[in-house]
Amino acid sequence: MAQTYGAKRLLVNGIVQGVGFRPFVYQLAVRHGLKGEVANTSAGVIIHIEGPPEQMRAFESDLTEKSPPLAHIVEIESQPDIIRSYSGFEIARSRGAAAMTTLISPDVAVCGDCLAEMFDPADRRFGYPFINCTNCGPRYTIIDDIPYDRPKTSMRHFAMCARCQAEYNDPANRRFHAQPNACPACGPHIGLWDGRRNRVDAPDPVARAAELIREGLILAVKGLGGYHLAADATQPEAVDRLRQRKRREEKPFAVMSFDLATIRSYAVTGPEEEKLLASIERPIVLLAKRQPFVLAEAVAPRNRYVGAMLPYTPLHYLILRHGFPALVMTSGNLSEEPIAIDNDDAFERLAGVADFFLVHNRDIYLRSDDSVVRRAAGATRFMRRSRGYVPVPVFLKHKLPPVLACGAELKNTVCITRGNQAFLSQHIGDLENLATYEFFQKTVAHMRRILAVRPEIIACDMHPDYLSTRWAEEQAGMPRVRVQHHHAHIVSGLAEFGIEGPVIGLACDGTGYGPDGTVWGGEVLVADVRGFERVAHLACVSMPGSAAAIKEPWRMGLSYLHDAFDNRMWDLDLPVLRENGDAKARLIVEMIEKQVNSPRTSSMGRLFDGVAAIAGLRGRVNYEGQAAMELEMAAADDTDSAYDFAWQDGEPLRILPAPIIRGVVSDLRDGVPVPVISARFHNSLVRMLSDLCVLLRGRRGLNRVVLSGGVFQNARLLGGLIPALEGSGFEVYSHRRVPTNDGGIALGQALIAAAISL
Ligand code: ZN
Ligand code: ZN
Ligand code: FE
């Protein structure tokens, strides 16, 4: 006879605490007529169910398929249990050190249910900018300690009114245990202030703020992870003024629009891009501009793309519903500084930038910039992984001892491991000024606290002058592992895909410290988590003026011309030789010849810079990667031809840039258009790198290729190389969950340090 009543114990792991998971389980159990209980424990969420076996099976399948939007189930262990004869289903109190292994949810966009209430004149939260529920709202940025309960968040200053408390206590309510729950009677409020910090008396501060933006003024708007600077993206004067005041010359601004239909009026969106735009993470998505571009050109000058996002806080919706096609929403900072989060700090630092301030009194404890993604080569690629995604961990194949990895210098993030989880921090920025360095230290302390981890090993870059390296050296009492930059890049790829080496690692990058005293960046490694062998690299050229050669790609142009033509370079009739005057050009070449302040580099990023300069696209950059990006955007779509390439075999093999440079120059002299030259340059790299991998496979028997490094943000290169390698039968791994740029490097550092220390 079939069993008609049984019991089961389910252990659920993942992001299942503080996201409405227990009430969801409760409602599901009740719906399926099951008895038992659900509890948070240090091992995860434990569910005991009893009832007819077919009901339990239905419950189990709904558990994964219908789980709440913020829940992220990693694994469920299911086993038979003894029947305990519960009288109903209940939510038990948290047990033991439940908080210690809790995964905290990221901050996510306001949900549809909350939005509907906010726009409903009959609702008690009509027009209330802090509406939220268990399925939406702030998390990571308002916590300063665990367990994730209201007293440990910046909502501790607001006592819930009776109605909010009743919602919070009711397992059937959408706001059951929603820690930031609030309403106009008991929660935070907004206020409008002028630049001299006088309160603006307006019955509806948001409506007044919208009027001011429409008048062409710049508003500082307090958001979820920090302040934005907002301006009307259709008014060229307003956007120009914002650029001048923020001291940001050409780096594109992101824009925000009310809905997808509005974004479609100025950008081209595919189905995948629309899914990303509308996802609860609400990243900035890079989209091709629709021509003629109806927003101000200064939003993203000389750029084929525009970064757009949908509103993600209730306040954003309240502002944007005043009919703006798009608002510039750029980080509330001066160039290179961290984004302002604190009200006093914002008034002080943004005084000369913003005309008015739309402020609120819910504190932001941890800054988190907007995330930036792009669709390339058939997948979503992170340019910046931050708000909305952090602190979702990367789940590793093996458990590690607790490691703190300090990242690199530019686009810094840090990484802390706990068991088989690696937590990559939000975007910290370029560790070049004191404010960013302080933010770095604060983030490390914050993550240690909320993850309840005491790191036993510290990892950093090999570069002795990085502030992150210096900080690591000041930390006493822990073994320290210095990791080569490109090894870390490749291992971040191994970590992300849970594969073991050895693999062929193509690290195409800007700058990384090489142990041989040269600047690395065009590297082919045979690598696993414990070590690497440098099997090939771009042949070195000089970087005349060192850091100046990065800011002034024309110097790299001269360096590559000198490498390819020697003194015959002066006979070439190329604008790059003249654009800064003959005397200066000769001085640069003298620096190269005498090796004065001209470090040698194998960087792929510098090769892009040099070609962009020789092609006359850009001699000086206003932001990192600008020349390479403009070279990518210039590429014609319909050109299959390529330049000759060559390498010099040996250990390591040296890839010679000279034949490619000669090809570029010959085309320029023949009057070949720059888009064709750019396409041929990209095609040459694709063919060269895939041929090289075939050669290495023959020698090493390796069939897996990991692509990493900032140069792979280039969609043209990535989109060409992946099919070329796959066409040759390789298994290709390119980043999808962490950035390919230095924002992902801390993950690789952590794994390497753990492997070496074991
Ligand atoms: Zn909601
Ligand atoms: Zn209330
Ligand atoms: Fe790098």
Side-chain angles (χ1 to χ4, degrees), residues 168-208:
Y168 182 92
N169 294 346
D170 175 8
N173 194 285
R174 206 172 87 239
R175 297 193 167 93
F176 176 68
H177 283 197
Q179 305 303 344
N181 188 27
C183 77
C186 67
H189 281 279
I190 52 167
L192 184 64
W193 304 72
D194 72 13
R196 281 183 302 263
R197 216 169 174 170
N198 301 309
R199 186 152 194 149
V200 177
D201 198 18
D204 181 348
V206 178
R208 181 71 192 123

Side-chain angles (χ1 to χ4, degrees), residues 122-181:
D123 194 274
R124 71 189 188 95
R125 291 188 179 87
F126 176 60
Y128 183 56
F130 302 92
I131 190 167
N132 68 84
C133 72
T134 318
N135 301 326
C136 74
R139 295 287 188 278
Y140 181 62
T141 52
I142 60 164
I143 297 168
D144 69 351
D145 206 349
I146 52 169
Y148 173 55
D149 276 328
R150 194 166 173 114
K152 299 289 170 70
T153 72
S154 61
M155 287 303 292
R156 69 168 71 113
H157 306 295
F158 304 94
M160 273 183 277
C161 68
R163 295 173 79 178
C164 286
Q165 187 70 51
E167 295 167 338
Y168 182 92
N169 294 346
D170 175 8
N173 194 285
R174 206 172 87 239
R175 297 193 167 93
F176 176 68
H177 283 197
Q179 305 303 344
N181 188 27

Side-chain angles (χ1 to χ4, degrees), residues 637-689:
D637 291 329
D638 53 353
T639 301
D640 318 314
S641 48
Y643 300 120
D644 289 338
F645 54 85
W647 53 63
Q648 200 171 63
D649 208 353
E651 288 176 5
L653 177 152
R654 290 165 65 243
I655 301 161
L656 304 175
I660 293 179
I661 298 295
R662 282 193 214 109
V664 169
V665 169
S666 154
D667 270 358
L668 278 169
R669 303 183 79 196
D670 292 346
V672 174
V674 170
V676 175
I677 294 176
S678 169
R680 287 181 174 162
F681 171 68
H682 283 87
N683 297 345
S684 313
L685 294 180
V686 166
R687 288 186 200 175
M688 182 184 75
L689 291 170

